[in-house]
Amino acid sequence: MTGSQKAIKVISIIVIVVAILSILAGLVTCAGGAAGVMAGADASAAEQEQLALGAGMLFVLAGGALVSGIIDLVVGLLGLRGAKDPNKIMPFFVIAIIGAVFAVLNLIGCFTAGQLDGTSIASAVVQLALMVGCVILANNVRKLRY
């Protein structure tokens, strides 16, 4: 196993762990939204409206976390598969390229949307670095194909 394969394996395991945490966070957030709706059963109409609005926001956040977690899980599994067998690296390579493009768009979006806080920019830069690293590593493994 080459250094690139080992690095992809480590990154993929980290991505899988983060994916599982994201899926769990999405499920917990969804449950919180449902609890908010249930709590409003005895409330006044104005309070029910506020609780429904809050619950709706939680459902949107939960949906985003679930979708993100599922996509990350697929990426991690493809990375593990590609690290183990260089002949199966292409799906991970393609996903990494797509991820790098979205990471660039995300970074550009931080500046154009006025999100000039350190956290947003740092997150976008780390995401871009990770995706570019995955593209480079996957390309190295891709060259090992028989």
Side-chain angles (χ1 to χ4, degrees):
M1 187 175 270
T2 68
S4 294
Q5 287 173 290
K6 289 177 186 175
I8 289 174
K9 183 177 180 179
V10 170
I11 290 170
S12 296
I13 290 170
I14 291 169
V15 168
I16 289 170
V17 169
V18 170
I20 291 170
L21 292 175
S22 180
I23 291 169
L24 290 174
L27 293 174
V28 169
T29 304
C30 190
V37 170
M38 295 296 187
D42 295 330
S44 69
E47 291 172 334
Q48 284 180 349
E49 185 178 326
Q50 291 296 321
L51 287 171
L53 179 63
M57 294 170 123
L58 285 175
F59 288 136
V60 169
L61 290 173
L66 288 170
V67 168
S68 174
I70 291 168
I71 290 170
D72 286 348
L73 185 61
V74 170
V75 169
L77 293 173
L78 288 174
L80 282 179
R81 185 179 86 157
K84 183 177 179 182
D85 182 1
N87 292 321
K88 297 180 179 178
I89 196 69
M90 283 308 291
F92 179 73
F93 182 62
V94 171
I95 292 281
I97 290 171
I98 293 169
V101 169
F102 279 114
V104 168
L105 294 174
N106 185 27
L107 184 59
I108 292 169
C110 284
F111 291 105
T112 59
Q115 295 177 342
L116 298 177
D117 62 288
T119 304
S120 295
I121 293 171
S123 175
V125 168
V126 168
Q127 180 186 15
L128 178 59
L130 182 63
M131 287 295 104
V132 169
C134 285
V135 169
I136 292 168
L137 293 169
N139 190 46
N140 292 343
V141 172
R142 190 174 62 90
K143 292 176 182 176
L144 299 173
R145 294 184 301 171
Y146 319 129

